[in-house]
Amino acid sequence: MMRAEQLIRAFPGRRLAELEANDVSDYLARLGQKPNLQAWQFRQSVDAIQTLYSIVRTEWPVPPDWDFWRDSARTLEAQHATTAREFAPVTPEDYAGRIGDTRFAPLIHKHLDAFVRLASGIRTRGMSIRTEKTYLGWVCRFLLHFDARAPDELVFLYDKVLEQPLGDLGAFRRSRRPRRLPVVLSRNEVNRLLSELDGMQWLIASLLYGTGMRLMEALRLRVQDLEFDRGLIVVRRGKGDKDRIVPLPESLAGPLARHLREVRALHQRDLDAGYGEAMLPDALARKYPSAPREWRWQFVFPSGRLSRDPRSDATRRHHLHETAVQKAVVSAARRAGIAKRASCHTLRHSFATHLLESGYDIRTVQELLGHADVSTTQIYTHVLNRGGLAVRSPLDAG
């Protein structure tokens, strides 16, 4: 109970039962400013304090967001989607780590130049880090089991990276996954799910449904990306490395403004403590060395603790790890009694479907979602709540 005793000593002369939820949250925020505190130590403190108050049985109108603080212990890894685009691995182990299987390290070492060129070719085309991970994995397995791999899976490697087109491979078709209809919540189900959330998780989930953003797009938002006067949000470097504009829901303007006031106070405390830098793309950081400390570049949804940047080793406050929101949404759907497999991406699917139900043009929805091809957006026309192809069942014909 050493971690719990540290909380008690932080409030001399006050009993545990007298502390408010905000007192505990402020204590954890101060604790999170200690850069030498390891992730497991921070998580241990959160668990100890939560256990302590389960024994004390203090009644708070709104208890501390234990899941948020616990997940704030997670930092952005070198292979995380936010950091990896700017991260340039230099060892076979880095590439093996990106693929998620260290057994490939000797193989990558043997063909390191090809892997460097492959990663470079993928990034210059604006493909996602997850696509890069998939392609790297394919190449590893291809080299390990050459005879077992179909040639069409390596067309990109030979044609775009090694610049050795395979020519006419005969009559083959690229393998495609079966297209499944997305899970979509009704408006009532969305409201029930959101009502089971609070705090930052509620705000992020509401944004996902209200704007159609992907989860990582929301978490990577900077303060300057929210334009309250124009009622819009600028989504930068979305899938395919493209920018786009989505609406800022009027009902979220007030909660977002209040949230930003809290974030700004946190940022000021970081500055006063000698920190306060946000991670910027390398080119911008070199061109504008003072920009990382500016308010406009701070993450809208920061983590609850400082952590070391996996590339530069600098102490920074990254954005909240996505697992915090993912777990919160799944848990909220369960509590709301929703029998569907609901997730953060389900809110994006629901956004698109509900817009089409309201009569919005499919091209407009395509732009809002950031789809390169309208055929991707058209799948939502198959899940509109009109029944199968707007046909009335003969059972109801009377």
Side-chain angles (χ1 to χ4, degrees):
M1 293 296 287
M2 179 186 68
R3 305 293 179 191
E5 291 173 359
Q6 291 173 341
L7 170 72
I8 297 171
R9 289 197 297 270
F11 295 93
R14 296 181 65 182
R15 295 185 302 163
L16 283 175
E18 296 175 347
L19 298 183
E20 302 290 340
N22 287 340
D23 294 325
V24 176
S25 295
D26 289 343
Y27 168 79
L28 290 172
R30 294 195 302 273
L31 191 66
Q33 283 186 304
K34 297 181 178 180
N36 294 326
L37 191 70
Q38 298 297 312
W40 66 268
Q41 294 172 313
F42 186 80
R43 189 181 298 108
Q44 192 178 71
S45 295
V46 177
D47 291 339
I49 295 171
Q50 184 180 15
T51 300
L52 178 65
Y53 272 100
S54 68
I55 297 172
V56 176
R57 297 184 182 278
T58 300
E59 295 294 333
W60 285 311
V62 179
D65 192 340
W66 302 115
D67 286 337
F68 163 75
W69 289 113
R70 191 174 292 107
D71 286 314
S72 287
R74 290 203 62 173
T75 58
L76 305 189
E77 310 86 0
Q79 311 302 336
H80 189 274
T82 292
T83 58
R85 188 176 294 276
E86 303 300 328
F87 179 71
V90 294
T91 69
E93 287 72 24
D94 290 322
Y95 280 104
R98 177 164 305 166
I99 297 169
D101 194 334
T102 56
R103 294 175 301 172
F104 290 135
L107 180 66
I108 296 172
H109 182 81
K110 183 178 179 180
H111 303 281
L112 184 58
D113 181 63
F115 281 94
V116 171
R117 292 164 64 189
L118 175 59
S120 176
I122 291 172
R123 293 191 182 191
T124 56
R125 288 165 173 80
M127 296 179 176
S128 72
I129 298 302
R130 290 180 176 85
T131 299
E132 179 179 324
K133 175 181 176 180
T134 300
Y135 276 34
L136 290 172
W138 279 353
V139 173
C140 281
R141 291 169 181 85
F142 174 73
L143 294 174
L144 281 174
H145 308 285
F146 181 85
D147 293 334
R149 305 306 296 172
D152 58 317
E153 290 185 333
L154 278 298
V155 169
F156 181 90
L157 172 65
Y158 283 94
D159 188 20
K160 305 298 184 184
V161 179
L162 303 180
E163 298 179 354
Q164 296 179 9
L166 295 177
D168 185 8
L169 297 176
F172 77 88
R173 291 184 299 174
R174 292 182 181 271
S175 175
R176 294 183 181 274
R177 290 182 179 179
R179 175 160 286 195
R180 308 297 185 191
L181 292 180
V183 175
V184 174
L185 303 180
S186 68
R187 286 177 170 82
N188 175 265
E189 288 171 328
V190 170
N191 291 334
R192 284 160 47 199
L193 186 153
L194 294 178
S195 68
E196 294 291 338
L197 295 168
D198 53 31
M200 196 182 298
Q201 278 90 349
W202 171 84
L203 190 53
I204 296 172
S206 297
L207 269 179
L208 298 183
Y209 173 64
T211 65
M213 284 189 290
R214 302 174 178 89
L215 175 57
M216 287 306 303
E217 291 173 342
L219 294 180
R220 285 197 290 245
L221 286 175
R222 312 282 181 150
V223 171
Q224 64 181 350
D225 298 332
L226 304 182
E227 299 195 20
F228 289 91
D229 291 342
R230 299 174 63 194
L232 58 86
I233 298 174
V234 181
V235 180
R236 303 187 187 277
R237 302 190 71 177
K239 191 171 183 179
D241 206 23
K242 296 179 295 186
D243 295 353
R244 71 181 190 280
I245 292 175
V246 297
L248 194 163
E250 293 180 13
S251 59
L252 293 183
L256 272 172
R258 290 191 294 272
H259 170 74
L260 286 181
R261 286 196 290 270
E262 297 176 3
V263 174
R264 187 156 201 172
L266 176 64
H267 175 54
Q268 187 59 53
R269 291 198 296 270
D270 286 347
L271 291 173
D272 294 341
Y275 304 108
E277 285 192 2
M279 184 187 70
L280 264 63
D282 287 340
L284 280 176
R286 288 193 298 269
K287 188 174 182 180
Y288 306 106
S290 63
R293 296 169 65 87
E294 294 179 7
W295 165 238
R296 65 193 180 104
W297 284 106
Q298 303 308 305
F299 288 114
V300 173
F301 300 110
S303 172
R305 67 182 292 265
L306 296 170
S307 58
R308 294 196 180 278
D309 190 299
R311 301 169 306 156
S312 65
D313 233 15
T315 298
R316 296 192 174 115
R317 190 179 295 276
H318 295 300
H319 62 66
L320 183 65
H321 202 284
E322 67 268 23
T323 55
V325 188
Q326 291 167 340
K327 290 190 296 186
V329 169
V330 171
S331 179
R334 187 183 304 115
R335 292 194 302 273
I338 297 173
K340 301 172 182 176
R341 188 177 180 180
S343 66
C344 291
H345 214 65
T346 304
L347 296 173
R348 174 175 160 89
H349 294 323
S350 303
F351 163 85
T353 303
H354 296 168
L355 283 185
L356 291 172
E357 285 178 346
S358 299
Y360 284 92
D361 180 79
I362 194 168
R363 293 286 183 180
T364 300
V365 178
Q366 175 193 357
E367 289 293 324
L368 292 174
L369 292 176
H371 287 163
D373 195 319
V374 72
S375 63
T376 307
T377 317
Q378 285 174 335
I379 194 170
Y380 296 109
T381 64
H382 298 291
V383 292
L384 297 179
N385 63 356
R386 304 172 189 157
L389 302 178
V391 172
R392 188 182 185 200
S393 169
L395 185 63
D396 300 325

